[in-house]
Amino acid sequence: MLSTRLPHISWPVLLFLLFFSLYVFTMSGAIHYGDEMEKYRVAQSIVERGDFTFRPTAQRNVIGIRGRTVSGYELGQTLVEVPFYVLGKLAYTIFPVADSNWLTMLWVGLSNPVIMALVVVLFFKTARLLNFHPTIAVGLALVLGLSTIVFPYSRSFTREPLLTLLLLLALFTSLQFSKTFSRRWLLLTGLTLGYLVFTKFIHGVVIPIFLLYIIIVIFQHERQRNANSAQTWLAIARGVLVVISPGILFLVAQMLYAFARFGNFTSGLGGLPSNPIDAIIRLLPFATPWEATLGLLFSPDKSIFLYSPPAILGLVGWYCWLRVQARDALFILALVLVEFVPVTWRWDWAGGTWWGPRYLVQITPLLILPIGFLFDAKRAAQNKKWTLLLGGLAAIGFPIQTVGAIVNDRDYMDATGWGSTLWGQIEFVARGAIDSLVIYLVPNGFPFHINPFGILLIIVILFLAGLFVTRWRQNDTLQSLQVNGLFLT
């Protein structure tokens, strides 16, 4: 058997290799929007000149102090792109091409496939932390990575993959703290939340939810150990201080970045050249929260349930979670709501011309995670029903995500004058409009051409898929399964 000839590979490693290979196969490798270009140019300027300014671009220009072009966006994603840009520069010294940006953009474009593959791995680890059986955790990771909007957003240069990873990581470290009460997990939670806000300022709305959860966990723990009120409140104060301290440092760094660009400490904090509070007040009259809520839930163009069908089952799973772990279930619900509600008050709640509900990508893992609570070791027949339902929703979601993963939103907008929609992109694909680093159309002969790197990727993906199936069948992942269904242990 394959498993007897290959060393043991853990689920996290195998999941990362499989999804990274798949996401690289569908990645674009090119920058199509102005906000993507801004962050890339800043990363380029940091590496090349140790500066934050860059030459004007055709899409968008923000003028800072001394009349120089700067980015209005936060610095978080740019700093993540810097090491990838350095690798691109190194590749250019070995394989020089006509324009070094061809290679540096290619390497920077690898950042999101790496990040989204890490999201799948971290999701698996979070599922295991909640005591889901390995097979359940792996199955849900497959659903998340293949049948939700996570898949298409692995191909672009947007911030959504990084935001998704950071929000999920903060959840993971918080849950770890609730089980171990180790302050290192509190510190990691604070660092993650700080960098989340450093990447996109508006996501600071989740910080009060995390603080409230941590306060409740500490309070319950102190009561269980019969601590008096003074000891309890001291423990809570220490915990809160550990969490917020890294965030304060990141806020100071962001304020210094704002000063370097605009000459004051508040402009540019929230992704716009102006003060974030002023920007919110100015744009709030254009909000249509009722329309946005209906659109994000039920519209054929932006419904989270259309672009991530398995999330429907997550609603049922959350109710089961509530009955067995009310504290953690309410924590997840609060995170989802505090991320969802501000989007409905954005004038651009639809996410512009991007694929599906762009501003809800980061909560997708939180919608899929509760599904694991539907499976019960004592109810084999019920487990089979949930398995069939989840498989059906995943089967619907996979082709939808495949369309999103091989199309170019900007090409669609340039050709039609409209933002990306599911039905429009399906027609676009039917006409041959495929955008991928390794697969593309040719003017004559067979309509699709796959370059040698693409062929190699297909071989790697098939090999990893075979290894995945073999690993799935190994006794150490199946020994606790009942014949008629999957369950939790």
Side-chain angles (χ1 to χ4, degrees):
M1 293 178 61
L2 183 62
S3 59
T4 62
R5 298 195 299 269
L6 292 172
H8 176 83
I9 300 179
S10 67
W11 276 124
V13 172
L14 188 53
L15 283 168
F16 176 81
L17 294 175
L18 177 61
F19 279 95
F20 175 68
S21 301
L22 177 63
Y23 293 161
V24 169
F25 186 83
T26 57
M27 68 178 281
S28 172
I31 296 177
H32 302 286
Y33 285 89
D35 52 352
E36 298 174 310
M37 183 61 74
E38 278 191 27
K39 302 182 192 77
Y40 170 81
R41 290 299 187 194
V42 176
Q44 182 181 54
S45 183
I46 291 173
V47 174
E48 302 287 357
R49 302 190 305 276
D51 192 9
F52 298 124
T53 64
F54 54 93
R55 69 177 184 269
T57 63
Q59 293 93 343
R60 175 177 169 182
N61 297 292
V62 176
I63 305 302
I65 56 177
R66 296 186 296 277
R68 305 192 67 182
T69 303
V70 296
S71 173
Y73 291 101
E74 300 89 339
L75 199 55
Q77 185 188 10
T78 295
L79 293 184
V80 171
E81 291 179 352
V82 164
F84 289 91
Y85 185 90
V86 171
L87 291 173
K89 287 289 291 183
L90 179 61
Y92 177 71
T93 62
I94 302 173
F95 306 103
V97 292
D99 185 348
S100 63
N101 284 298
W102 295 348
L103 280 178
T104 52
M105 283 186 184
L106 176 62
W107 278 90
V108 171
L110 288 172
S111 60
N112 276 349
V114 168
I115 291 170
M116 275 309 198
L118 289 174
V119 166
V120 175
V121 172
L122 183 58
F123 179 88
F124 167 80
K125 297 288 288 184
T126 306
R128 293 291 293 130
L129 183 63
L130 292 173
N131 295 320
F132 294 178
H133 187 277
T135 304
I136 294 290
V138 170
L140 292 179
L142 287 175
V143 169
L144 176 72
L146 294 175
S147 299
T148 72
I149 200 170
V150 160
F151 184 5
Y153 274 84
S154 68
R155 73 185 305 274
S156 65
F157 284 73
T158 65
R159 286 183 288 184
E160 275 63 37
L162 182 57
L163 296 172
T164 305
L165 178 65
L166 292 170
L167 183 61
L168 184 58
L169 181 57
L171 171 66
F172 177 80
T173 55
S174 298
L175 292 175
Q176 283 281 18
F177 172 73
S178 73
K179 293 178 178 294
T180 65
F181 306 104
S182 172
R183 288 187 182 176
R184 66 168 182 160
W185 292 113
L186 280 184
L187 179 60
L188 288 173
T189 300
L191 288 169
T192 304
L193 290 174
Y195 205 86
L196 176 67
V197 179
F198 192 55
T199 302
K200 194 168 184 179
F201 189 78
I202 194 174
H203 288 280
V205 295
V206 304
I207 292 179
I209 304 301
F210 278 94
L211 288 177
L212 179 60
Y213 176 76
I214 288 166
I215 289 171
I216 292 173
V217 169
I218 295 175
F219 180 82
Q220 292 176 339
H221 176 65
E222 292 298 309
R223 284 301 177 90
Q224 288 174 358
R225 56 189 293 268
N226 297 319
N228 58 40
S229 297
Q231 292 173 325
T232 300
W233 287 111
L234 180 60
I236 289 174
R238 287 175 176 172
V240 170
L241 183 62
V242 170
V243 173
I244 66 175
S245 295
I248 293 173
L249 295 178
F250 278 114
L251 179 60
V252 170
Q254 187 67 18
M255 292 173 70
L256 292 174
Y257 181 49
F259 185 82
R261 292 174 293 163
F262 302 108
N264 63 73
F265 293 107
T266 58
S267 294
L269 282 181
L272 293 170
S274 58
N275 181 298
I277 302 299
D278 293 339
I280 292 173
I281 294 174
R282 185 175 67 252
L283 296 174
L284 201 56
F286 300 98
T288 55
W290 179 242
E291 176 188 346
T293 301
L294 293 177
L296 292 170
L297 295 178
F298 306 114
S299 75
D301 294 337
K302 297 295 177 179
S303 168
I304 183 63
F305 300 116
L306 175 62
Y307 284 86
S308 297
I312 298 172
L313 210 53
L315 301 178
V316 185
W318 179 84
Y319 179 72
C320 296
W321 192 355
L322 181 66
R323 291 189 297 175
V324 296
Q325 296 178 5
R327 184 192 66 189
D328 293 351
L330 291 173
F331 177 38
I332 290 288
L333 177 63
L335 289 177
V336 170
L337 291 178
V338 82
E339 286 278 359
F340 180 87
V341 172
V343 175
T344 65
W345 284 90
R346 294 182 62 128
W347 68 273
D348 60 342
W349 61 268
T353 61
W354 290 91
W355 177 262
R358 174 186 178 183
Y359 297 133
L360 299 183
V361 173
Q362 70 275 359
I363 65 171
T364 304
L366 309 187
L367 298 175
I368 302 301
L369 194 61
I371 296 175
F373 287 93
L374 294 173
F375 298 95
D376 189 333
K378 300 178 181 179
R379 299 180 179 180
Q382 180 174 292
N383 294 336
K384 184 176 182 180
K385 177 188 70 174
W386 293 126
T387 301
L388 292 174
L389 284 173
L390 179 59
L393 290 171
I396 295 172
F398 178 67
I400 293 174
Q401 313 320 319
T402 302
V403 171
I406 62 175
V407 297
N408 186 311
D409 298 310
R410 187 56 185 258
D411 286 346
Y412 182 82
M413 183 182 70
D414 291 343
T416 66
W418 297 93
S420 181
T421 66
L422 173 59
W423 315 119
Q425 289 288 26
I426 290 175
E427 182 181 1
F428 215 47
V429 171
R431 295 176 181 273
I434 293 177
D435 175 62
S436 169
L437 181 66
V438 299
I439 181 171
Y440 40 85
L441 295 176
V442 292
N444 48 51
F446 191 75
F448 302 109
H449 177 74
I450 301 177
N451 64 31
F453 181 68
I455 295 174
L456 176 61
L457 271 177
I458 290 176
I459 295 173
V460 170
I461 291 170
L462 291 176
F463 172 77
L464 291 171
L467 188 58
F468 190 95
V469 173
T470 302
R471 179 79 171 87
W472 186 284
R473 292 176 177 174
Q474 287 179 351
N475 290 334
D476 62 331
T477 60
L478 298 176
Q479 59 187 357
S480 300
L481 290 178
Q482 292 180 345
V483 174
N484 294 324
L486 308 174
F487 58 87
L488 303 175
T489 59

